[in-house]
Amino acid sequence: MKALSVFSKLLHPNMLARFAVYARLMRLDRPIGTLLLLWPTLWAVWLASDGRPDFTVLAAFAAGTFLMRSAGCVVNDWADRDIDGHVARTASRPAAQGLVSKSEVVKLTLVLCGLAALCLIPFDFKTWLLAVPALFLAFTYPYTKRFFPVPQLYLGLAFSFGIPMVFMATLGEIPALAWWLFAANVFWTLAYDTIYAIADKADDLKLSVQTSAITLGRFDAEGAMLCYAIFDLLMMQVGLMINAVWLYWLMLVAVVCWQWRFYLNIQTREPQACFDTFLQNNKIGLLWFLGIVMHYAYI
């Protein structure tokens, strides 16, 4: 009877409404962030295992990616609640609208982090230690927009820390290959999040928020493309280190073609075009994942 009572409370319309707010706070309706965080994690899982991923590693890091991205969104939206309300694209976020309290944010963050920590149970203590700087970067990123001229670089570090964690969980060490991949993902994140920042540039200038798009000035689009170029060069280095077959290099050609299309789209600096281009980066992550998978399938 007690279990039935708890279940009925969970299904109460008021509780369901709260769950809907929490889902929006976690951005469950906008999975692009999870995908952009998941692709480099999957790259690392395949590379660390020589194309034979362990199911435990794959499942644990996939679930952990989703949970930590959700926790990061909760913290980010609470930290930016006074800013988001003045930006057209983010004004409808729950924290900006005052739909959640600080207590709810803290409790939800703790639950998500607790669940993410459970994903690390199968791995050794060194993998757990790497989770500490990853957590620090994820939760301090929102505040870098107040003083750091390139907060997108800081986000790149936060979005890349799953890579060395995967290698440590799989191999018990972090080889040079992992750090090359880490660096590549930092520049990929810097590229697509600069494009994302271009979309909000007018609002951010009014609010005195720091972004790479503002720091780069009229060369913001070109700066994003330079980051893509560095990302491509670093992925070429990854390919050389694994003696990649032609299928991997074919994906490089496809990626460069997509990036050129991105540049044509963002040259106008039109906000919607820039935001749509940001979303298209999911295809870049998928292409490189296919390149890595096909390399190991071919050999």
Side-chain angles (χ1 to χ4, degrees):
M1 291 296 293
K2 187 175 181 181
L4 185 62
S5 176
V6 172
F7 188 68
S8 64
K9 288 180 180 178
L10 290 175
L11 293 180
H12 191 278
N14 291 339
M15 186 59 72
L16 290 176
R18 297 313 299 161
F19 286 152
V21 171
Y22 298 156
R24 286 174 55 205
L25 191 62
M26 294 162 59
R27 312 253 186 98
L28 298 188
D29 58 332
R30 297 180 180 274
I32 182 63
T34 299
L35 291 171
L36 292 175
L37 191 56
L38 181 62
W39 289 126
T41 304
L42 293 178
W43 304 342
V45 169
W46 255 257
L47 288 167
S49 63
D50 285 332
R52 296 180 293 276
D54 178 81
F55 177 77
T56 299
V57 175
L58 179 60
F61 277 92
T65 295
F66 165 75
L67 291 165
M68 287 309 302
R69 187 262 176 167
S70 299
C73 287
V74 172
V75 173
N76 181 83
D77 286 8
W78 181 256
D80 286 351
R81 64 192 184 280
D82 295 329
I83 296 173
D84 287 344
H86 299 283
V87 179
R89 188 181 50 77
T90 60
S92 62
R93 289 177 178 174
Q97 292 185 319
L99 299 179
V100 291
S101 66
K102 182 178 180 180
S103 174
E104 289 177 298
V105 167
V106 171
K107 290 176 182 177
L108 181 58
T109 302
L110 289 175
V111 168
L112 291 169
C113 289
L115 292 173
L118 293 178
C119 295
L120 294 176
I121 287 177
F123 310 119
D124 63 16
F125 183 64
K126 289 184 288 186
T127 306
W128 278 78
L129 282 179
L130 286 173
V132 176
L135 195 66
F136 175 80
L137 289 168
F139 286 172
T140 54
Y141 158 69
Y143 301 98
T144 60
K145 303 170 193 174
R146 276 73 169 171
F147 64 90
F148 188 45
V150 192
Q152 282 70 23
L153 176 61
Y154 198 90
L155 180 67
L157 296 175
F159 265 36
S160 302
F161 232 89
I163 293 171
M165 289 181 67
V166 165
F167 276 86
M168 182 62 76
T170 304
L171 302 175
E173 62 178 359
I174 308 174
L177 176 63
W179 294 117
W180 282 103
L181 190 66
F182 180 97
N185 193 59
V186 168
F187 279 97
W188 182 41
T189 307
L190 182 53
Y192 66 65
D193 211 53
T194 296
I195 295 173
Y196 185 86
I198 296 173
D200 291 338
K201 193 171 184 177
D203 289 321
D204 290 339
L205 282 167
K206 296 174 185 176
L207 296 167
S208 299
V209 174
Q210 300 289 323
T211 73
S212 54
I214 292 173
T215 299
L216 290 167
R218 63 190 181 94
F219 298 107
D220 47 8
E222 289 72 24
M225 297 313 298
L226 176 61
C227 292
Y228 276 130
I230 297 173
F231 163 55
D232 294 340
L233 289 171
L234 291 168
M235 290 303 288
M236 289 173 65
Q237 173 64 18
V238 169
L240 291 172
M241 294 181 76
I242 63 172
N243 295 315
V245 300
W246 65 273
L247 291 165
Y248 181 94
W249 303 112
L250 182 63
M251 289 301 103
L252 172 64
V253 175
V255 165
V256 171
C257 289
W258 271 106
Q259 290 168 350
W260 177 247
R261 291 183 62 181
F262 290 172
Y263 182 56
L264 296 179
N265 290 339
I266 66 175
Q267 275 186 317
T268 63
R269 273 71 171 182
E270 198 276 319
Q272 189 59 51
C274 291
F275 183 70
D276 291 341
T277 301
F278 159 75
L279 296 177
Q280 292 294 314
N281 275 271
N282 180 46
K283 295 178 180 177
I284 301 294
L286 173 61
L287 286 171
W288 274 124
F289 176 63
L290 292 175
I292 293 169
V293 170
M294 289 190 297
H295 159 73
Y296 285 110
Y298 188 85
I299 61 175

